[in-house]
PDB file of all heavy atoms in Angstrom:
ATOM      1  N   HIS A  89      96.209 108.689  50.228  1.00  0.00           N
ATOM      2  CA  HIS A  89      97.396 108.003  50.664  1.00  0.00           C
ATOM      3  C   HIS A  89      98.614 108.173  49.705  1.00  0.00           C
ATOM      4  O   HIS A  89      99.691 108.517  50.073  1.00  0.00           O
ATOM      5  CB  HIS A  89      97.046 106.453  50.843  1.00  0.00           C
ATOM      6  CG  HIS A  89      98.253 105.680  51.128  1.00  0.00           C
ATOM      7  ND1 HIS A  89      98.954 105.043  50.064  1.00  0.00           N
ATOM      8  CD2 HIS A  89      98.852 105.356  52.276  1.00  0.00           C
ATOM      9  CE1 HIS A  89      99.996 104.350  50.629  1.00  0.00           C
ATOM     10  NE2 HIS A  89      99.945 104.467  51.933  1.00  0.00           N
ATOM     11  N   ASP A  90      98.242 108.030  48.385  1.00  0.00           N
ATOM     12  CA  ASP A  90      99.342 108.106  47.409  1.00  0.00           C
ATOM     13  C   ASP A  90      99.861 109.549  47.327  1.00  0.00           C
ATOM     14  O   ASP A  90     101.077 109.776  47.055  1.00  0.00           O
ATOM     15  CB  ASP A  90      98.845 107.681  46.041  1.00  0.00           C
ATOM     16  CG  ASP A  90      98.748 106.122  45.959  1.00  0.00           C
ATOM     17  OD1 ASP A  90      99.279 105.476  46.825  1.00  0.00           O
ATOM     18  OD2 ASP A  90      98.175 105.641  44.926  1.00  0.00           O
ATOM     19  N   PHE A  91      99.024 110.537  47.513  1.00  0.00           N
ATOM     20  CA  PHE A  91      99.457 111.942  47.488  1.00  0.00           C
ATOM     21  C   PHE A  91     100.567 112.179  48.501  1.00  0.00           C
ATOM     22  O   PHE A  91     101.624 112.691  48.193  1.00  0.00           O
ATOM     23  CB  PHE A  91      98.211 112.808  47.722  1.00  0.00           C
ATOM     24  CG  PHE A  91      98.738 114.346  47.976  1.00  0.00           C
ATOM     25  CD1 PHE A  91      99.083 115.116  46.953  1.00  0.00           C
ATOM     26  CD2 PHE A  91      98.691 114.771  49.304  1.00  0.00           C
ATOM     27  CE1 PHE A  91      99.492 116.428  47.251  1.00  0.00           C
ATOM     28  CE2 PHE A  91      99.128 116.043  49.525  1.00  0.00           C
ATOM     29  CZ  PHE A  91      99.501 116.982  48.532  1.00  0.00           C
ATOM     30  N   PHE A  92     100.322 111.779  49.743  1.00  0.00           N
ATOM     31  CA  PHE A  92     101.191 112.050  50.770  1.00  0.00           C
ATOM     32  C   PHE A  92     102.478 111.221  50.637  1.00  0.00           C
ATOM     33  O   PHE A  92     103.531 111.646  50.961  1.00  0.00           O
ATOM     34  CB  PHE A  92     100.621 111.805  52.231  1.00  0.00           C
ATOM     35  CG  PHE A  92      99.856 112.898  52.764  1.00  0.00           C
ATOM     36  CD1 PHE A  92      98.470 113.025  52.594  1.00  0.00           C
ATOM     37  CD2 PHE A  92     100.524 113.936  53.444  1.00  0.00           C
ATOM     38  CE1 PHE A  92      97.806 114.155  53.090  1.00  0.00           C
ATOM     39  CE2 PHE A  92      99.843 115.119  53.850  1.00  0.00           C
ATOM     40  CZ  PHE A  92      98.481 115.150  53.735  1.00  0.00           C
ATOM     41  N   LEU A  93     102.338 110.023  50.122  1.00  0.00           N
ATOM     42  CA  LEU A  93     103.436 109.228  49.866  1.00  0.00           C
ATOM     43  C   LEU A  93     104.348 109.788  48.807  1.00  0.00           C
ATOM     44  O   LEU A  93     105.640 109.820  49.024  1.00  0.00           O
ATOM     45  CB  LEU A  93     103.033 107.812  49.407  1.00  0.00           C
ATOM     46  CG  LEU A  93     104.060 106.646  49.424  1.00  0.00           C
ATOM     47  CD1 LEU A  93     104.451 106.385  50.869  1.00  0.00           C
ATOM     48  CD2 LEU A  93     103.492 105.310  48.858  1.00  0.00           C
ATOM     49  N   ALA A  94     103.771 110.250  47.715  1.00  0.00           N
ATOM     50  CA  ALA A  94     104.526 110.893  46.630  1.00  0.00           C
ATOM     51  C   ALA A  94     105.241 112.163  47.105  1.00  0.00           C
ATOM     52  O   ALA A  94     106.426 112.446  46.825  1.00  0.00           O
ATOM     53  CB  ALA A  94     103.649 111.234  45.423  1.00  0.00           C
ATOM     54  N   VAL A  95     104.529 113.018  47.841  1.00  0.00           N
ATOM     55  CA  VAL A  95     105.092 114.250  48.331  1.00  0.00           C
ATOM     56  C   VAL A  95     106.225 113.996  49.350  1.00  0.00           C
ATOM     57  O   VAL A  95     107.290 114.632  49.263  1.00  0.00           O
ATOM     58  CB  VAL A  95     103.943 115.116  49.072  1.00  0.00           C
ATOM     59  CG1 VAL A  95     104.654 116.262  49.816  1.00  0.00           C
ATOM     60  CG2 VAL A  95     102.981 115.575  47.998  1.00  0.00           C
ATOM     61  N   LEU A  96     106.104 113.033  50.268  1.00  0.00           N
ATOM     62  CA  LEU A  96     107.099 112.806  51.257  1.00  0.00           C
ATOM     63  C   LEU A  96     108.331 112.145  50.615  1.00  0.00           C
ATOM     64  O   LEU A  96     109.495 112.604  50.908  1.00  0.00           O
ATOM     65  CB  LEU A  96     106.526 111.908  52.402  1.00  0.00           C
ATOM     66  CG  LEU A  96     105.470 112.597  53.252  1.00  0.00           C
ATOM     67  CD1 LEU A  96     104.948 111.591  54.345  1.00  0.00           C
ATOM     68  CD2 LEU A  96     106.026 113.818  53.899  1.00  0.00           C
ATOM     69  N   ILE A  97     108.135 111.155  49.781  1.00  0.00           N
ATOM     70  CA  ILE A  97     109.290 110.498  49.107  1.00  0.00           C
ATOM     71  C   ILE A  97     110.017 111.439  48.161  1.00  0.00           C
ATOM     72  O   ILE A  97     111.246 111.604  48.216  1.00  0.00           O
ATOM     73  CB  ILE A  97     108.877 109.214  48.295  1.00  0.00           C
ATOM     74  CG1 ILE A  97     108.338 108.193  49.266  1.00  0.00           C
ATOM     75  CG2 ILE A  97     110.013 108.724  47.436  1.00  0.00           C
ATOM     76  CD1 ILE A  97     107.762 106.924  48.587  1.00  0.00           C
ATOM     77  N   GLY A  98     109.219 112.235  47.389  1.00  0.00           N
ATOM     78  CA  GLY A  98     109.832 113.184  46.437  1.00  0.00           C
ATOM     79  C   GLY A  98     110.585 114.280  47.116  1.00  0.00           C
ATOM     80  O   GLY A  98     111.738 114.556  46.689  1.00  0.00           O
ATOM     81  N   ASN A  99     110.065 114.797  48.149  1.00  0.00           N
ATOM     82  CA  ASN A  99     110.786 115.899  48.821  1.00  0.00           C
ATOM     83  C   ASN A  99     111.888 115.396  49.678  1.00  0.00           C
ATOM     84  O   ASN A  99     112.859 116.153  50.012  1.00  0.00           O
ATOM     85  CB  ASN A  99     109.823 116.707  49.655  1.00  0.00           C
ATOM     86  CG  ASN A  99     108.991 117.670  48.751  1.00  0.00           C
ATOM     87  OD1 ASN A  99     109.527 118.370  47.915  1.00  0.00           O
ATOM     88  ND2 ASN A  99     107.667 117.729  49.076  1.00  0.00           N
ATOM     89  N   LEU A 100     111.807 114.148  50.121  1.00  0.00           N
ATOM     90  CA  LEU A 100     112.974 113.532  50.841  1.00  0.00           C
ATOM     91  C   LEU A 100     114.162 113.379  49.897  1.00  0.00           C
ATOM     92  O   LEU A 100     115.302 113.663  50.171  1.00  0.00           O
ATOM     93  CB  LEU A 100     112.584 112.140  51.412  1.00  0.00           C
ATOM     94  CG  LEU A 100     113.648 111.434  52.169  1.00  0.00           C
ATOM     95  CD1 LEU A 100     114.147 112.288  53.391  1.00  0.00           C
ATOM     96  CD2 LEU A 100     113.187 110.070  52.617  1.00  0.00           C
ATOM     97  N   LEU A 101     113.882 112.931  48.670  1.00  0.00           N
ATOM     98  CA  LEU A 101     114.893 112.840  47.618  1.00  0.00           C
ATOM     99  C   LEU A 101     115.443 114.250  47.298  1.00  0.00           C
ATOM    100  O   LEU A 101     116.762 114.418  47.172  1.00  0.00           O
ATOM    101  CB  LEU A 101     114.354 112.246  46.281  1.00  0.00           C
ATOM    102  CG  LEU A 101     113.957 110.812  46.348  1.00  0.00           C
ATOM    103  CD1 LEU A 101     113.254 110.415  45.043  1.00  0.00           C
ATOM    104  CD2 LEU A 101     115.265 109.909  46.519  1.00  0.00           C
ATOM    105  N   LEU A 102     114.644 115.251  47.171  1.00  0.00           N
ATOM    106  CA  LEU A 102     115.136 116.630  47.055  1.00  0.00           C
ATOM    107  C   LEU A 102     116.038 117.029  48.248  1.00  0.00           C
ATOM    108  O   LEU A 102     117.096 117.664  48.025  1.00  0.00           O
ATOM    109  CB  LEU A 102     113.929 117.597  46.935  1.00  0.00           C
ATOM    110  CG  LEU A 102     113.482 118.004  45.524  1.00  0.00           C
ATOM    111  CD1 LEU A 102     112.279 118.943  45.626  1.00  0.00           C
ATOM    112  CD2 LEU A 102     114.578 118.603  44.660  1.00  0.00           C
ATOM    113  N   GLY A 103     115.569 116.688  49.438  1.00  0.00           N
ATOM    114  CA  GLY A 103     116.305 117.085  50.637  1.00  0.00           C
ATOM    115  C   GLY A 103     117.679 116.475  50.661  1.00  0.00           C
ATOM    116  O   GLY A 103     118.680 117.108  51.030  1.00  0.00           O
ATOM    117  N   ILE A 104     117.744 115.199  50.232  1.00  0.00           N
ATOM    118  CA  ILE A 104     119.044 114.492  50.275  1.00  0.00           C
ATOM    119  C   ILE A 104     119.945 115.154  49.205  1.00  0.00           C
ATOM    120  O   ILE A 104     121.178 115.436  49.443  1.00  0.00           O
ATOM    121  CB  ILE A 104     118.850 112.986  49.963  1.00  0.00           C
ATOM    122  CG1 ILE A 104     118.159 112.357  51.088  1.00  0.00           C
ATOM    123  CG2 ILE A 104     120.197 112.281  49.666  1.00  0.00           C
ATOM    124  CD1 ILE A 104     117.661 110.916  50.800  1.00  0.00           C
ATOM    125  N   TYR A 105     119.528 115.348  47.935  1.00  0.00           N
ATOM    126  CA  TYR A 105     120.227 115.980  46.931  1.00  0.00           C
ATOM    127  C   TYR A 105     120.821 117.352  47.322  1.00  0.00           C
ATOM    128  O   TYR A 105     121.923 117.757  47.222  1.00  0.00           O
ATOM    129  CB  TYR A 105     119.347 116.132  45.696  1.00  0.00           C
ATOM    130  CG  TYR A 105     119.859 116.954  44.493  1.00  0.00           C
ATOM    131  CD1 TYR A 105     121.012 116.505  43.828  1.00  0.00           C
ATOM    132  CD2 TYR A 105     119.279 118.141  44.150  1.00  0.00           C
ATOM    133  CE1 TYR A 105     121.505 117.237  42.739  1.00  0.00           C
ATOM    134  CE2 TYR A 105     119.765 118.918  43.060  1.00  0.00           C
ATOM    135  CZ  TYR A 105     120.862 118.442  42.433  1.00  0.00           C
ATOM    136  OH  TYR A 105     121.292 119.141  41.349  1.00  0.00           O
ATOM    137  N   THR A 106     119.893 118.299  47.861  1.00  0.00           N
ATOM    138  CA  THR A 106     120.335 119.525  48.295  1.00  0.00           C
ATOM    139  C   THR A 106     121.217 119.533  49.511  1.00  0.00           C
ATOM    140  O   THR A 106     122.060 120.421  49.719  1.00  0.00           O
ATOM    141  CB  THR A 106     119.077 120.502  48.551  1.00  0.00           C
ATOM    142  OG1 THR A 106     118.242 119.892  49.521  1.00  0.00           O
ATOM    143  CG2 THR A 106     118.255 120.610  47.278  1.00  0.00           C
ATOM    144  N   ALA A 107     121.057 118.535  50.369  1.00  0.00           N
ATOM    145  CA  ALA A 107     121.899 118.429  51.533  1.00  0.00           C
ATOM    146  C   ALA A 107     123.281 118.155  51.176  1.00  0.00           C
ATOM    147  O   ALA A 107     124.230 118.749  51.746  1.00  0.00           O
ATOM    148  CB  ALA A 107     121.423 117.278  52.504  1.00  0.00           C
ATOM    149  N   PHE A 108     123.571 117.281  50.149  1.00  0.00           N
ATOM    150  CA  PHE A 108     124.888 117.083  49.658  1.00  0.00           C
ATOM    151  C   PHE A 108     125.495 118.424  49.205  1.00  0.00           C
ATOM    152  O   PHE A 108     126.662 118.806  49.562  1.00  0.00           O
ATOM    153  CB  PHE A 108     124.942 116.065  48.534  1.00  0.00           C
ATOM    154  CG  PHE A 108     125.116 114.677  48.905  1.00  0.00           C
ATOM    155  CD1 PHE A 108     124.009 113.821  48.883  1.00  0.00           C
ATOM    156  CD2 PHE A 108     126.324 114.233  49.338  1.00  0.00           C
ATOM    157  CE1 PHE A 108     124.217 112.482  49.307  1.00  0.00           C
ATOM    158  CE2 PHE A 108     126.505 112.933  49.777  1.00  0.00           C
ATOM    159  CZ  PHE A 108     125.433 111.993  49.690  1.00  0.00           C
ATOM    160  N   LEU A 109     124.770 119.165  48.350  1.00  0.00           N
ATOM    161  CA  LEU A 109     125.277 120.453  47.806  1.00  0.00           C
ATOM    162  C   LEU A 109     125.452 121.461  48.946  1.00  0.00           C
ATOM    163  O   LEU A 109     126.375 122.222  48.845  1.00  0.00           O
ATOM    164  CB  LEU A 109     124.252 120.988  46.744  1.00  0.00           C
ATOM    165  CG  LEU A 109     124.147 120.131  45.479  1.00  0.00           C
ATOM    166  CD1 LEU A 109     123.005 120.584  44.663  1.00  0.00           C
ATOM    167  CD2 LEU A 109     125.438 120.209  44.615  1.00  0.00           C
ATOM    168  N   GLY A 110     124.544 121.448  49.929  1.00  0.00           N
ATOM    169  CA  GLY A 110     124.673 122.333  51.039  1.00  0.00           C
ATOM    170  C   GLY A 110     125.898 122.110  51.852  1.00  0.00           C
ATOM    171  O   GLY A 110     126.629 123.017  52.312  1.00  0.00           O
ATOM    172  N   PHE A 111     126.219 120.862  52.068  1.00  0.00           N
ATOM    173  CA  PHE A 111     127.388 120.401  52.842  1.00  0.00           C
ATOM    174  C   PHE A 111     128.671 120.901  52.132  1.00  0.00           C
ATOM    175  O   PHE A 111     129.579 121.567  52.766  1.00  0.00           O
ATOM    176  CB  PHE A 111     127.402 118.888  52.990  1.00  0.00           C
ATOM    177  CG  PHE A 111     128.705 118.477  53.666  1.00  0.00           C
ATOM    178  CD1 PHE A 111     128.715 118.264  55.062  1.00  0.00           C
ATOM    179  CD2 PHE A 111     129.825 118.111  52.965  1.00  0.00           C
ATOM    180  CE1 PHE A 111     129.816 117.841  55.722  1.00  0.00           C
ATOM    181  CE2 PHE A 111     131.006 117.637  53.685  1.00  0.00           C
ATOM    182  CZ  PHE A 111     130.952 117.498  55.030  1.00  0.00           C
ATOM    183  N   ILE A 112     128.679 120.700  50.845  1.00  0.00           N
ATOM    184  CA  ILE A 112     129.916 121.198  50.040  1.00  0.00           C
ATOM    185  C   ILE A 112     130.021 122.623  50.043  1.00  0.00           C
ATOM    186  O   ILE A 112     131.125 123.202  50.226  1.00  0.00           O
ATOM    187  CB  ILE A 112     129.879 120.641  48.614  1.00  0.00           C
ATOM    188  CG1 ILE A 112     129.791 119.147  48.546  1.00  0.00           C
ATOM    189  CG2 ILE A 112     130.975 121.136  47.742  1.00  0.00           C
ATOM    190  CD1 ILE A 112     129.425 118.527  47.216  1.00  0.00           C
ATOM    191  N   GLY A 113     128.892 123.342  49.862  1.00  0.00           N
ATOM    192  CA  GLY A 113     128.926 124.843  49.923  1.00  0.00           C
ATOM    193  C   GLY A 113     129.351 125.405  51.202  1.00  0.00           C
ATOM    194  O   GLY A 113     130.192 126.281  51.284  1.00  0.00           O
ATOM    195  N   SER A 114     128.836 124.832  52.352  1.00  0.00           N
ATOM    196  CA  SER A 114     129.283 125.323  53.676  1.00  0.00           C
ATOM    197  C   SER A 114     130.700 124.988  53.939  1.00  0.00           C
ATOM    198  O   SER A 114     131.444 125.709  54.639  1.00  0.00           O
ATOM    199  CB  SER A 114     128.343 124.720  54.661  1.00  0.00           C
ATOM    200  OG  SER A 114     128.668 125.225  56.030  1.00  0.00           O
ATOM    201  N   LYS A 115     131.111 123.803  53.558  1.00  0.00           N
ATOM    202  CA  LYS A 115     132.532 123.274  53.855  1.00  0.00           C
ATOM    203  C   LYS A 115     133.488 124.232  53.186  1.00  0.00           C
ATOM    204  O   LYS A 115     134.503 124.517  53.726  1.00  0.00           O
ATOM    205  CB  LYS A 115     132.692 121.888  53.400  1.00  0.00           C
ATOM    206  CG  LYS A 115     133.912 121.227  53.751  1.00  0.00           C
ATOM    207  CD  LYS A 115     133.903 120.790  55.172  1.00  0.00           C
ATOM    208  CE  LYS A 115     135.208 119.937  55.462  1.00  0.00           C
ATOM    209  NZ  LYS A 115     135.169 119.618  56.976  1.00  0.00           N
ATOM    210  N   THR A 116     133.181 124.604  51.954  1.00  0.00           N
ATOM    211  CA  THR A 116     134.125 125.416  51.110  1.00  0.00           C
ATOM    212  C   THR A 116     133.860 126.915  51.256  1.00  0.00           C
ATOM    213  O   THR A 116     134.794 127.733  50.914  1.00  0.00           O
ATOM    214  CB  THR A 116     134.099 124.999  49.651  1.00  0.00           C
ATOM    215  OG1 THR A 116     132.771 125.233  49.154  1.00  0.00           O
ATOM    216  CG2 THR A 116     134.476 123.537  49.463  1.00  0.00           C
ATOM    217  N   GLY A 117     132.619 127.273  51.475  1.00  0.00           N
ATOM    218  CA  GLY A 117     132.218 128.713  51.464  1.00  0.00           C
ATOM    219  C   GLY A 117     132.059 129.282  50.073  1.00  0.00           C
ATOM    220  O   GLY A 117     131.973 130.521  49.880  1.00  0.00           O
ATOM    221  N   LEU A 118     131.861 128.381  49.029  1.00  0.00           N
ATOM    222  CA  LEU A 118     131.881 128.784  47.612  1.00  0.00           C
ATOM    223  C   LEU A 118     130.476 128.709  47.076  1.00  0.00           C
ATOM    224  O   LEU A 118     129.680 127.871  47.476  1.00  0.00           O
ATOM    225  CB  LEU A 118     132.751 127.930  46.807  1.00  0.00           C
ATOM    226  CG  LEU A 118     134.315 127.985  47.197  1.00  0.00           C
ATOM    227  CD1 LEU A 118     135.053 126.935  46.421  1.00  0.00           C
ATOM    228  CD2 LEU A 118     134.886 129.406  46.939  1.00  0.00           C
ATOM    229  N   THR A 119     130.196 129.583  46.072  1.00  0.00           N
ATOM    230  CA  THR A 119     128.950 129.411  45.319  1.00  0.00           C
ATOM    231  C   THR A 119     128.980 128.306  44.428  1.00  0.00           C
ATOM    232  O   THR A 119     129.936 127.646  44.177  1.00  0.00           O
ATOM    233  CB  THR A 119     128.773 130.704  44.425  1.00  0.00           C
ATOM    234  OG1 THR A 119     129.706 130.687  43.399  1.00  0.00           O
ATOM    235  CG2 THR A 119     128.896 132.004  45.161  1.00  0.00           C
ATOM    236  N   THR A 120     127.760 127.941  43.976  1.00  0.00           N
ATOM    237  CA  THR A 120     127.582 126.824  43.080  1.00  0.00           C
ATOM    238  C   THR A 120     128.474 126.978  41.848  1.00  0.00           C
ATOM    239  O   THR A 120     129.107 125.997  41.298  1.00  0.00           O
ATOM    240  CB  THR A 120     126.129 126.723  42.520  1.00  0.00           C
ATOM    241  OG1 THR A 120     125.281 126.614  43.711  1.00  0.00           O
ATOM    242  CG2 THR A 120     125.926 125.588  41.613  1.00  0.00           C
ATOM    243  N   HIS A 121     128.645 128.216  41.329  1.00  0.00           N
ATOM    244  CA  HIS A 121     129.388 128.496  40.149  1.00  0.00           C
ATOM    245  C   HIS A 121     130.912 128.338  40.368  1.00  0.00           C
ATOM    246  O   HIS A 121     131.592 127.901  39.439  1.00  0.00           O
ATOM    247  CB  HIS A 121     129.052 129.921  39.637  1.00  0.00           C
ATOM    248  CG  HIS A 121     127.514 130.138  39.681  1.00  0.00           C
ATOM    249  ND1 HIS A 121     126.684 129.689  38.670  1.00  0.00           N
ATOM    250  CD2 HIS A 121     126.727 130.764  40.588  1.00  0.00           C
ATOM    251  CE1 HIS A 121     125.430 129.958  39.029  1.00  0.00           C
ATOM    252  NE2 HIS A 121     125.430 130.659  40.212  1.00  0.00           N
ATOM    253  N   LEU A 122     131.421 128.727  41.491  1.00  0.00           N
ATOM    254  CA  LEU A 122     132.796 128.630  41.801  1.00  0.00           C
ATOM    255  C   LEU A 122     133.132 127.119  42.109  1.00  0.00           C
ATOM    256  O   LEU A 122     134.167 126.683  41.707  1.00  0.00           O
ATOM    257  CB  LEU A 122     133.211 129.437  43.000  1.00  0.00           C
ATOM    258  CG  LEU A 122     133.076 130.927  42.817  1.00  0.00           C
ATOM    259  CD1 LEU A 122     133.500 131.721  44.070  1.00  0.00           C
ATOM    260  CD2 LEU A 122     133.784 131.465  41.552  1.00  0.00           C
ATOM    261  N   LEU A 123     132.141 126.400  42.686  1.00  0.00           N
ATOM    262  CA  LEU A 123     132.315 124.974  42.805  1.00  0.00           C
ATOM    263  C   LEU A 123     132.445 124.232  41.513  1.00  0.00           C
ATOM    264  O   LEU A 123     133.195 123.317  41.330  1.00  0.00           O
ATOM    265  CB  LEU A 123     131.211 124.400  43.674  1.00  0.00           C
ATOM    266  CG  LEU A 123     131.147 124.712  45.136  1.00  0.00           C
ATOM    267  CD1 LEU A 123     129.825 124.184  45.767  1.00  0.00           C
ATOM    268  CD2 LEU A 123     132.333 124.127  45.852  1.00  0.00           C
ATOM    269  N   ALA A 124     131.572 124.747  40.507  1.00  0.00           N
ATOM    270  CA  ALA A 124     131.544 124.131  39.219  1.00  0.00           C
ATOM    271  C   ALA A 124     132.966 124.276  38.456  1.00  0.00           C
ATOM    272  O   ALA A 124     133.265 123.512  37.572  1.00  0.00           O
ATOM    273  CB  ALA A 124     130.499 124.729  38.436  1.00  0.00           C
ATOM    274  N   ARG A 125     133.753 125.205  38.946  1.00  0.00           N
ATOM    275  CA  ARG A 125     135.090 125.392  38.308  1.00  0.00           C
ATOM    276  C   ARG A 125     135.932 124.182  38.472  1.00  0.00           C
ATOM    277  O   ARG A 125     136.800 123.865  37.642  1.00  0.00           O
ATOM    278  CB  ARG A 125     135.741 126.687  38.808  1.00  0.00           C
ATOM    279  CG  ARG A 125     135.180 127.949  38.397  1.00  0.00           C
ATOM    280  CD  ARG A 125     136.024 129.135  38.891  1.00  0.00           C
ATOM    281  NE  ARG A 125     135.474 130.424  38.359  1.00  0.00           N
ATOM    282  CZ  ARG A 125     136.131 131.647  38.548  1.00  0.00           C
ATOM    283  NH1 ARG A 125     137.355 131.612  39.142  1.00  0.00           N
ATOM    284  NH2 ARG A 125     135.629 132.664  38.089  1.00  0.00           N
ATOM    285  N   TYR A 126     135.796 123.513  39.600  1.00  0.00           N
ATOM    286  CA  TYR A 126     136.707 122.345  39.936  1.00  0.00           C
ATOM    287  C   TYR A 126     136.365 121.205  38.870  1.00  0.00           C
ATOM    288  O   TYR A 126     137.269 120.526  38.386  1.00  0.00           O
ATOM    289  CB  TYR A 126     136.382 121.804  41.252  1.00  0.00           C
ATOM    290  CG  TYR A 126     136.951 122.769  42.457  1.00  0.00           C
ATOM    291  CD1 TYR A 126     136.161 123.633  43.015  1.00  0.00           C
ATOM    292  CD2 TYR A 126     138.274 122.655  42.788  1.00  0.00           C
ATOM    293  CE1 TYR A 126     136.682 124.475  44.043  1.00  0.00           C
ATOM    294  CE2 TYR A 126     138.773 123.383  43.874  1.00  0.00           C
ATOM    295  CZ  TYR A 126     137.953 124.386  44.444  1.00  0.00           C
ATOM    296  OH  TYR A 126     138.500 125.155  45.435  1.00  0.00           O
TER     297      TYR A 126
END
């Protein structure tokens, strides 16, 4: 039970974090490194 709970919660957090970065990348068309310039 705890294994699946940890995997699902942890990867959901990863999914949310990367979704934010993915939205910004697609919106601007810029790499992570060019975004970092701002």
